[in-house]
Amino acid sequence: MPDSQPQPPSSSSDPQGSSGQPDPAALLLCGARLTDGRTVDVRLGGGRIEAVGTAGSLAPGPACAGGTRVDLTGYLLLPAPAEPHAHGDTALSAEHGGPVSYEPEDVQRRATEAALLQLGHGSTAVRAHVRVGDVQGLSALAAVLQARRSLRGLAELTTVAMPRVLTGIAGADGLAMLRDAAKMGASVVGGCPDLDPDPTGYAEAVLEVASEHGCPVDLHTDATDPARLARLAAMAGGMRPGVVLGPCAGLARLPSEVAARVADQLAAAGITVVCLPQGGCGSVDRRGTAPVRLLRAAGVRIAAGSGALRDLSNPVGRGDPLEAAYLLASRHGLRPEDAYDAVSTASRAALGLPEVRVEAGFPAELLAVRGDHLAGALSLAYSRIVVHRGRVVARTSAVREYCNSAVAAELGLPRQGRGELS
């Protein structure tokens, strides 16, 4: 189902401010390369892109004096990625050994550190799935919500409440907990129907709570039961705000004709699928990736997330959206442009965020990566500059050096830094 072409968002922000003074957050990005090959200057103000012009054509203005001009020569400028599938309560827990601590201070520290790591990679928005109920009750959710408040201005962190059981006598507490979580500040309701004795009943309960609170739905499923998926698609069809499923790796293990039929049903229902090319989450035996090319061919919106970030499910998880895009291109045959779209435009849509383009009027959520074309950036994306709400919020710089040699001089290989290599 083709999406309608969005128009540039209008901005109510006055670059000069209501007082008539220049916006102190105004920023001029100079000499950036775009994916279409142009080299441009980009002026930001009021959290949006004010203007895009050929290199050297934009006057910085008084607000861009004194360190608010950023030289992006040698960088590719892209819409910032978003992370649609993180686990804030368990991230960075594998290295500590033993059971995962759900002490609020531990959860808050891990969630904050994880979001900052993902911000450094380029993700200016993160959706974190958080368990509610069981022993921890709502304490883990409260800790992640506190992390969200502490990150304000750096990154957008939203939460998905995930109860374990919602049906039968045992599910009554979980259902009450899910409603309390929505009232407490969880902006999305979800969970894992596969773990409930009645998966369809679980999905029905989540959809009911979502309807009550007017919030989106994000469900974990391995997607191995086509009949169950068909029922879910029928229940969720046309629901607004939307429904997201992930990681759906089991679809790749179904017969091709069955998977194609399920893909058609998901597309008709407007359901977004979030795949996890870097590895699964939850149970360690759930590996593989959803059949992204089959789903895309059916018209399903495909977003890509990172999944587990160094927890027991994936102790080497990086939380890097560019690695996810790289894997979609290298392992699943997507064009680099489509692979990057899965971690940026499609992921932002899955999170209900406005689209970003490097054009005037769009939100100033940007990622600059050293390189001159997208394929190279996905391959060697070491140095990065991240812009959130129109200001630089993270930088990562990599230095590559070659020792003095005739071949290095002949080829003009880059040498950075002050030291000499032996």
Side-chain angles (χ1 to χ4, degrees):
M1 295 188 302
D3 295 325
S4 59
Q5 292 298 314
Q7 299 299 312
S10 61
S11 173
S12 59
S13 300
D14 180 0
Q16 299 296 313
S18 58
S19 64
Q21 298 298 315
D23 181 359
L27 191 69
L28 185 65
L29 308 178
C30 304
R33 190 176 181 90
L34 302 184
T35 54
D36 62 10
R38 289 180 294 151
T39 300
V40 299
D41 290 350
V42 180
R43 190 170 63 231
L44 313 178
R48 293 190 175 273
I49 299 172
E50 288 186 344
V52 178
T54 56
S57 68
L58 296 183
C64 286
T68 53
R69 178 197 292 261
V70 178
D71 184 2
L72 292 185
T73 303
Y75 282 80
L76 188 68
L77 188 62
L78 303 164
E83 174 52 67
H85 193 112
H87 288 268
D89 53 347
T90 59
L92 307 175
S93 60
E95 52 218 52
H96 299 293
V100 176
S101 169
Y102 281 97
E103 290 297 319
E105 58 271 21
D106 292 334
V107 174
Q108 182 180 343
R109 175 184 51 79
R110 292 197 307 260
T112 303
E113 183 180 353
L116 289 174
L117 284 172
Q118 289 166 316
L119 176 65
H121 290 316
S123 294
T124 60
V126 177
R127 176 179 283 185
H129 298 254
V130 182
R131 296 176 185 175
V132 299
D134 299 330
V135 176
Q136 67 268 26
L138 293 172
S139 63
L141 175 62
V144 177
L145 289 174
Q146 183 59 40
R148 175 179 185 267
R149 288 187 284 272
S150 69
L151 290 163
R152 189 166 294 149
L154 291 174
E156 300 294 335
L157 177 62
T158 58
T159 55
V160 185
M162 294 184 59
R164 182 172 293 275
V165 179
L166 290 179
T167 65
I169 297 174
D173 288 343
L175 190 56
M177 194 76 67
L178 183 60
R179 288 191 167 96
D180 288 343
K183 295 174 184 176
M184 185 175 174
S187 54
V188 187
V189 294
C192 186
D194 298 359
L195 299 179
D196 194 285
D198 178 6
T200 299
Y202 186 107
E204 288 175 341
V206 169
L207 292 171
E208 180 181 347
V209 173
S211 179
E212 290 173 3
H213 293 273
C215 55
V217 170
D218 195 326
L219 292 170
H220 280 49
T221 179
D222 200 35
T224 55
D225 187 333
R228 188 189 305 162
L229 287 171
R231 289 193 293 270
L232 177 59
M235 290 187 292
M239 182 175 175
R240 295 291 181 269
V243 175
V244 172
L245 298 182
C248 297
L251 279 176
R253 300 191 291 271
L254 295 176
S256 57
E257 65 276 8
V258 176
R261 186 164 59 249
V262 171
D264 289 339
Q265 293 164 339
L266 295 176
I271 291 174
T272 296
V273 170
V274 173
C275 64
L276 302 178
Q278 294 161 293
C281 61
S283 176
V284 294
D285 60 350
R286 293 180 180 178
R287 294 298 178 185
T289 304
V292 294
R293 296 180 69 181
L294 180 147
L295 290 165
R296 282 173 53 86
V300 179
R301 175 181 280 132
I302 294 292
S306 300
L309 175 55
R310 302 210 310 261
D311 68 14
L312 293 177
S313 299
N314 187 358
V316 295
R318 295 181 183 178
D320 185 350
L322 295 195
E323 183 182 52
Y326 160 79
L327 291 171
L328 287 177
S330 65
R331 197 177 283 176
H332 298 277
L334 268 60
R335 298 185 310 127
E337 295 78 9
D338 294 331
Y340 189 76
D341 179 89
V343 301
S344 58
T345 302
S347 287
R348 287 184 62 85
L351 271 57
L353 299 171
E355 184 181 7
V356 173
R357 299 181 191 172
V358 188
E359 299 176 13
F362 283 86
E365 303 287 323
L366 302 167
L367 170 64
V369 184
R370 184 168 290 281
D372 57 5
H373 58 282
L374 188 55
L378 295 185
S379 175
L380 296 169
Y382 297 133
S383 296
R384 309 182 191 187
I385 298 174
V386 186
V387 174
H388 173 53
R389 294 186 177 178
R391 71 185 186 106
V392 174
V393 292
R395 291 176 184 259
T396 301
S397 298
V399 175
R400 175 180 288 123
E401 298 182 280
Y402 297 92
C403 66
N404 291 322
S405 68
V407 66
E410 180 181 346
L411 295 177
L413 297 178
R415 299 196 74 252
Q416 303 175 33
R418 300 177 181 174
E420 292 293 329
L421 296 181
S422 59

